[in-house]
Every structure is written in structure tokens, then in C-alpha cells.
Amino acid sequence: MVEPLLLIKNLHVAIEGKEIVHGIDLVIGAGELHVVMGPNGSGKSTLVHTLMGHPRSAVTGGSVLFRGQDLLAMSPDARARGGLFLAFQYPRELAGVPLRSFLYAAYKQHTTARNMRPRSLLSFQSLLAEEAERLHFPSALLDRPVHVGLSGGERKKCEILQLRVLRPALALLDETDSGLDIDALRVVAEGVQQLRDASFSVLLVTHYARMLQYLRPDHVHVMIGGKIVESGGPDLAQQLEKEGYEKWTRVT
Amino acid sequence: MTPIFAHINRQILDTPNPAPYAKGAKRGVDEEVVRRISADKKEPKWMLEHRLESLEIFQEKEIPKWGADLSSLDLDDIIYYARPFDYAQGDTPDDWAKVPEDIRKVYDRLGIPEAERKVLAGVGAQYESEVIYHKLKEEWESLGVIFLDMDDAVRKHPALVREYFMKCVPSSDHKFTALHGAVWSGGTFLYVPKDVKVRDPLQAYFRMNAKNMGQFEHTLIVADEGADVHYIEGCSAPQYGSQALHAGCVEIFVKPGAKARYSSVENWSRDTYNLNTKRAIVSKDGTIEWVGGNMGSGCTMLYPCSVLAGDGARCDHLAISFANKGQWQDTGVKVLHLAPNTSSKVVSKSISKNGGTAVYRGMLKVASHAHGCTANVQCDALLLDGESRTDTIPDIQIRNDDVTIAHEASVGKLSEEDVFYLTSRGIPKEEALAMIVNGFIEPIIRNLPLEYAVEMNRLIELEMEGSVG
Ligand SMILES: Nc1ncnc2c1ncn2[C@@H]1O[C@H](COP(=O)(O)OP(=O)(O)OP(=O)(O)O)[C@@H](O)[C@H]1O
Ligand SMILES: [Mg+2]
């Protein structure tokens, strides 16, 4: 059997002493796109933060293997260099840190980790310009500090811009669709879909099925109260959009 | 932005590097020492008298007790004057080979020009950067700019020097200005004539005799009416003091309509007390701009001061200080609005790390007749960990109602979320911290000349070494 890209077993996570994620099992294979949907506060962001190594997420049980390695033993930067990427639900403003030089530094870390020769700064600039254009991300913003003064939608685009430059093996997209206008949603979703191949997988957290018209999901999971309560195919997303979570919230 | 200082750390910078001439030199200061300095320098009588008067004041004054803790500073154990070698004999020993390998590496990585390194390492005191220097020198001379070593200026332009010397910062100011007045040696004299605008910044190391790296150096700048000049003091590379005390003095006279900009980064070795006095007097419609960084020294008391003496005078201060383990950085800006319609702007940023203490001690005074003044003070402190400390002690005295004052102070802690964001992109934590700190001081760095800004960022990275684990 081919080893899955990500293998989560019975993961428990606490924040400030309070358990938020109560035993999650999830397997993501190479090239797959998984969707996690669930009500506010059900622990979706906590789950993806934990996978990225957020210092406040305390893993209280379970294990995670990423490309066969113990992900939980790695620092966030090592996880990133190992091919994991998190597009944040609320991308932060980083005062005084220019996007261009920050991203070049990150890019060089990635290429070095993959034993590749990085592009020169000049060649990197053109890559960046090209990617910005594809996402309709104003190039003037490349010289601004990361996210400072950017609109909600611009920030989400900026996250996907970074994803496209860093080329991870697994992208965790935390509500990347929220805050994007109709056209931006399409551009961003296509920007992700276009990367899809056997060496790129996605875990998408979302509240709406709208992004899925561009991204064909393989699996959809429902997360409620820190647990995955149901998994299914793409149809599940449509169903959730119509019926909501009442069915499970009444039970749990 | 890969860490440039992968294999070196702050300790290397602080490796003691005893100056070759310090052996057997006399410690402490008295009339004999002062007379010998003056005689050695073949000074005119008035300068000797000034030194002796200053010595008297020094002996009377108490060590200030209001600032940093100076109780372990032993003023009798300092070598106030030692002749390294005889310039007249053309004797310029080159002990570069004796400079520790590691220190040479630091200079390499900072990209410090060869000749300047020698000065910094305390083994070279005379140098001519033939090509650049001579070209610039011709240009300055054709403009009437005087740019000399302070010792030389006293001999070559006695009347001009005497008119201004310690008239902005008098010896009677405090114990260390008095000491400075008695034992000062070397430094820079810069005179820019009326309406002359010097395009490129003047840097101390362009001077033929870069003897100003001493610890009691005197910098005297006069920007005459309508002149425009930017002077850069030393450089940001670590400086090795053979003595535990640095008591320099900077005086700047900005004449009507003139503009002067003074940039410096002080980075003395950790065992140094940096008690430096810097002040500018700004006449009608003149402008002074200060850009300063302070790191290194274990204990600093440094409060650059602008005296806005003429109608419409302006000042702009940008300051950064970094307090690392065991350091007490007591800095601040003083602005005196003594004339109507004067304006001031102060931006100060401090970083405390590893138990270091950064104190901002600012003073803002507006005289009763100084109507229509504008003052803007912003001081931000960044604490990198729980053990480090910061304090803001403003002294604001406004003597009339017709002024616009804004005073903002903020203390920020290093944000775990910011660090997480950067590391989640594959950037190692130490580098991420340096990025955040460099981002914090960016509003100041932005105003530095490019090479200087790059150097400053590298120094911050160096200070950030060993921040993790
Ligand atoms: N630092 C914290 N301290 C205490 N509780 C927290 C903290 N962070 C998150 N929580 C709680 O953990 C729960 C899960 O939060 P999380 O952000 O993972 O939800 P989510 O599923 O992403 O919600 P949303 O759809 O609104 O983004 C929430 O009840 C939240 O209040
Ligand atoms: Mg969330």
C-alpha cells in the first residue's frame, strides 16, 4: 500500500488547558483534496494550526505522520520546509517586514531544503510579478510590509500568492474563500486548482460550497465539537449547504 | 536574508583587545596629564587654559545619581591619555596581524573598508584612501569646506575653533563634560561656509587622519547660513575601547537657514560606560536632523539635545537603542523650544532582550515666549522576553498655551503569533525574530544611507544571535 501523505490518528488538542479537538482521524493521500466544514467554534482552525505547529496548541494525544515523519516532533519552520503550508484564516500584519524580501527569504529556505538552486533575486522578482498578475494581486503591494493595510480579500490573495511561490506538498487552506469577492474567488480557486497534481494535496476549511465549483474535492468531512462526525464525497458539501448542521448538533 | 553571522557571536566582538600602547601608561587625571596632552598637541594657550579650568570643574562635580548606575565606574583607573605613536616621525605601526582572527572576520562580514578596520581595531590611526578621499577633498576645498581632525583644526584654524569650541556644550554642564573639556583628544572639525550645500555625506573615515576613534573625541560642526551638510560619525562596527569610559562630545551649530544632519551608530564593547554628550543649537529657520543607533556598551547615558533658539527652527530626532543581556541603555532626546514657531519631531525605538534594560528619558521644554510651537514625540519599546525591561520617563514643561504637543509612548511584547506566521513559511525562528526586530526599527532604518542601513540590519541580526533555545 502506498503511504498516505498525511496520517492523523486520534489527535487531541488543548488550548490553555481546555481540550478543543477531541480525537480526530484523517488520512490524506497524495494529490487529494479534502474539505472540512463545520459550525463556528468547532475546532477547524485549531486543527490546522496544530498541524502547522502553533505554539499554543498543546497536543494531548494521538499522532500525525507527514510523509512518513513524525510531524508533531518538528518545529513550524521545519514543517514548512518539509512541504506543509498554512493559509491563515486571519493573516497577520507584519509591520516593517516587506513582502518581497520576506517571501524571497522563505523561498530560499524552501529551495535549499529541497537541494535546489534558488533563483537569483532578479529572476525571483519576475516569478513574483507573474504570480501576482495571475491572482490579480496589485504589484504595488509587493513592496509593502506583509498584509499591512491590506483589505481582507487582498490578504487572502496574498496567502495564495505565497502558496504558489513556495509550492508545498500539502496546503492547509483555512477559509481562504471568506472575504473574497466573486471574481477574486474564482481567480484564487483557479490558482489553487491549477497546481493540482499527484504531488500536491489540499485540506480546505470552508463554510460554503462555492469554492468547490472550481476545486473538485475528493472527500468532504463534517467537524462538530472537535470531532469529525461524518465523511463523504463532494455531494455532502451541497447537502450541508442546504440543510446545515442541525442533524448533528441535535445529536451531540 | 540567511543569517550572515552563522559562526560568530557577540562574545567575539567583546573579546578584549588591549591596545599596544596601554602598558605602563598613567592612570587617573590630574594637572600633569592635562598639561602633557596640551603640550603634546602643541596647543595654543587658550586651549590649555580651557583644559585646566575644565579639570577644576571636574574635580568639584559629583557623579550624577539620577540615571544609570555608575557606582562601579572607577575614574582613577582610566588611562586618559597615551600617545600611541609619533605622527611627526611618520611612525604608524601596523599591528593588524595581532588583531584576533575572529574580529577580522566580523569586519569582513560587515564589509568594513580595510583602512577603517584598522582604526576600529585600534591598530591603525592614519590612513589615506587615495582615490575617493582625494577626489572628495578637492571638491570640499573648492567649496571652502573645512574637514579636519579636531587636533589639527585647533592649530590650523585657531580663531574659528575658539569661537565655537565648547560654547554649545560647556564644560560646566556636568561631570563628564568637564572631564571631556580637560582630556579631549581627536575628533572631527567640520565647517561648511555660507550657502554651501555638500551633496554627499561626509564621513569621519574619509578624513586623512582618522584619529577620532578615541574615547574623549570632540566633534564640532558649524553649518553657516544657508549651508546644507550630512555628517556620518564613525560607523556602526564595534569599536574597541582600551578604557572602560567613553566621554565624547558633539557640538553642532546650525546657522540661520542652514540644515545639518548627523548620523551615528555607537557600538562600544560591553565593558564600556558610554557617557556621551551631543547637542545642537539651531538658529532661525535652521534644521537639525539626528539619526542615531546605540548598542554595545554595558551602560549608556546619552541624550542628544536640540536647542531651538531661533524663530522657525526645526529638529528631527530618530533614535534606536538595543539593550541586550547585562546592558542598561539610558537614552532619550531633549528638545528646548526657546523661540516662537519652532517645531520638533522625535521618534525613538528601543529593544530589550535577555534581561537588558532600555530607559527612555526624554525632555521637552517650551519657553513662555515660544508661541506657535509644534512638538511630536513618539517612543516605542519592544520587549523580546519576560526578563527584559523598559521604562519611559518623560519630563515635559510647557510654559505657554499656544503650542501643539503630541506625546505617545508604547510598549510592545514580541508577538508569538507574528513569529508563528514567519516560521510557518519555513523561516527559522532566530531569523524570524531578527525580521520582526528589523521591522520594528524600519521607520528609522529607512532614513539611513543604504550601506549604513544594511550594516544596521546586520548588527541587529548579530544581537539576535542565540535568541532561540
Ligand atoms: N486562545 C484560546 N483560548 C481559549 N479558547 C480558545 C482559544 N483559541 C480558540 N479557542 C476556542 O476553541 C474553539 C475552536 O476554535 P477554532 O478557531 O478552532 O474554531 P473554528 O472551527 O475555526 O471556527 P470558525 O468557523 O469560526 O473559524 C472555540 O470555541 C474557541 O473559542
Ligand atoms: Mg476558524
Side-chain angles (χ1 to χ4, degrees), chain A residues 44-166:
Chain A
K44 305 180 296 296
S45 292
T46 305
L47 172 65
V48 292
H49 280 155
T50 305
L51 294 176
M52 199 68 239
H54 195 287
R56 284 215 252 171
S57 295
V59 175
T60 49
S63 65
V64 182
L65 288 182
F66 177 58
R67 296 176 136 175
Q69 282 190 295
D70 178 4
L71 188 71
L72 301 176
M74 295 158 80
S75 63
D77 50 304
R79 297 180 196 202
R81 290 190 300 271
L84 193 62
F85 181 93
L86 170 60
F88 286 76
Q89 182 176 0
Y90 304 110
R92 300 186 63 78
E93 294 195 357
L94 297 168
V97 180
L99 177 59
R100 195 189 293 276
S101 57
F102 149 69
L103 198 48
Y104 189 50
Y107 164 79
K108 282 192 294 188
Q109 289 289 345
H110 281 255
T111 47
T112 309
R114 292 170 199 168
N115 289 320
M116 282 158 54
R117 239 186 74 212
R119 291 166 177 248
S120 66
L121 181 58
L122 209 66
S123 153
F124 177 79
Q125 310 266 42
S126 57
L127 167 76
L128 198 53
E130 205 177 285
E131 293 297 355
E133 197 181 321
R134 178 194 310 278
L135 296 171
H136 304 175
F137 183 78
S139 59
L141 302 182
L142 296 172
D143 293 306
R144 293 251 291 266
V146 181
H147 301 139
V148 174
L150 266 59
S151 74
E154 285 167 342
R155 290 181 196 206
K156 294 303 177 72
K157 276 189 180 175
C158 183
E159 294 289 280
I160 299 307
L161 175 73
Q162 295 179 45
L163 177 145
R164 290 194 53 102
V165 168
L166 301 178

Side-chain angles (χ1 to χ4, degrees), chain B residues 16 21 49 62 130 138 167-168 217 235 237 403 406 427:
Chain B
Y21 51 81
E49 277 164 9
E62 298 281 322
E130 310 78 56
E138 273 168 31
K167 295 276 165 43
C168 177
E217 84 284 4
C235 84
V403 292
I427 292 168

Side-chain angles (χ1 to χ4, degrees), chain B residues 306-311 335-340 342 365-370 373:
Chain B
S306 293
V307 181
L308 303 177
D311 204 319
V335 179
L336 277 61
H337 289 264
L338 302 184
T342 49
K365 285 189 180 176
V366 180
S368 55
H369 63 282
C373 293

Side-chain angles (χ1 to χ4, degrees), chain B residues 273-454:
Chain B
Y273 286 84
N274 185 19
L275 312 172
N276 216 349
T277 307
K278 303 185 179 188
R279 190 175 303 154
I281 295 183
V282 190
S283 312
K284 187 175 186 314
D285 297 324
T287 302
I288 178 77
E289 293 174 355
W290 302 86
V291 184
N294 189 73
M295 44 224 304
S297 42
C299 172
T300 300
M301 288 174 75
L302 173 62
Y303 320 98
C305 171
S306 293
V307 181
L308 303 177
D311 204 319
R314 292 156 25 97
C315 70
D316 203 332
H317 289 252
L318 296 173
I320 303 170
S321 69
F322 200 118
N324 213 325
K325 190 178 176 140
Q327 289 181 281
W328 185 292
Q329 302 285 19
D330 208 287
T331 61
V333 167
K334 295 185 183 182
V335 179
L336 277 61
H337 289 264
L338 302 184
N341 308 311
T342 49
S343 60
S344 63
K345 188 170 175 235
V346 174
V347 179
S348 161
K349 303 246 178 192
S350 75
I351 300 137
S352 312
K353 186 194 153 192
N354 238 330
T357 302
V359 176
Y360 180 84
R361 208 179 287 273
M363 181 197 273
L364 179 63
K365 285 189 180 176
V366 180
S368 55
H369 63 282
H371 293 279
C373 293
T374 311
N376 221 303
V377 180
Q378 189 194 327
C379 48
D380 301 322
L382 177 63
L383 294 171
L384 294 185
D385 49 55
E387 323 150 56
S388 302
R389 295 196 310 167
T390 185
D391 205 354
T392 304
I393 307 170
D395 174 6
I396 305 176
Q397 301 173 33
I398 314 295
R399 301 267 184 263
N400 76 71
D401 292 336
D402 178 24
V403 292
T404 313
I405 308 279
H407 194 289
E408 271 178 60
S410 79
V411 178
K413 290 217 171 75
L414 180 73
S415 155
E416 191 178 63
E417 297 292 335
D418 288 353
V419 177
F420 178 58
Y421 188 89
L422 290 169
T423 54
S424 81
R425 296 302 182 244
I427 292 168
K429 192 168 176 188
E430 191 165 293
E431 209 181 316
L433 294 175
M435 274 186 183
I436 291 168
V437 172
N438 277 327
F440 173 70
I441 60 172
E442 191 274 340
I444 291 175
I445 298 292
R446 176 186 329 142
N447 289 283
L448 293 174
L450 185 66
E451 333 84 70
Y452 219 46
V454 169

Side-chain angles (χ1 to χ4, degrees), chain A residues 10-13 18-24 42 223-228:
Chain A
N10 194 27
L11 183 69
H12 291 256
V13 181
K18 187 179 163 228
E19 190 168 287
I20 308 283
V21 173
H22 308 290
I24 281 197
S42 57
M223 185 164 172
I224 291 176
K227 282 187 186 146
I228 290 181

